[in-house]
Amino acid sequence: MDYNYPELYYRIYPKVMDTINKYFNKGNRGPNLTEKDIEEMIDQVYEKMVAECPEIDEDPIERRGRHRVTQRPFYGRRRLARDIISIILISELLRRINPYIFG
């Protein structure tokens, strides 16, 4: 099978879709989303990912806090996973709120 995206995307995307569907089925609508709502959805997806792939939450350097103060900020697995989840979630929300922008 020829993948266009990394395997992580294919693990995160269904969880994002499930979380968004649950949010919209509660009677919530897209334009009324707050930053708090988005953070809660990201947390839900992240918790599902940790249940499926516990190594995401077990970054030894991040856990110990042994990153040195350098010019570059330190991004551990947790932070990177949450950023990827955020990107996928926001792009899907934009696609649902205004579908005419994307095609």
Side-chain angles (χ1 to χ4, degrees), residues 4 6-7 19 26-27 31 39 45 49 53 66 70 81 90 95 99:
N4 293 328
E7 181 185 342
T19 302
K26 290 180 182 178
E39 284 296 323
V45 174
M49 281 303 299
C53 306
R66 293 189 320 154
T70 61
I90 291 170
R95 195 172 291 131

Side-chain angles (χ1 to χ4, degrees), residues 34-49:
T34 64
E35 188 173 336
K36 182 181 174 189
D37 293 334
I38 294 173
E39 284 296 323
E40 287 174 7
M41 286 191 273
I42 292 168
D43 291 339
Q44 290 173 8
V45 174
Y46 182 75
E47 289 170 9
K48 291 177 188 177
M49 281 303 299

Side-chain angles (χ1 to χ4, degrees), residues 57-66 74 78:
D57 204 37
E58 297 174 357
D59 190 353
I61 296 172
E62 186 174 304
R63 194 175 49 203
R64 291 185 202 144
R66 293 189 320 154
F74 174 76
R78 177 180 301 133

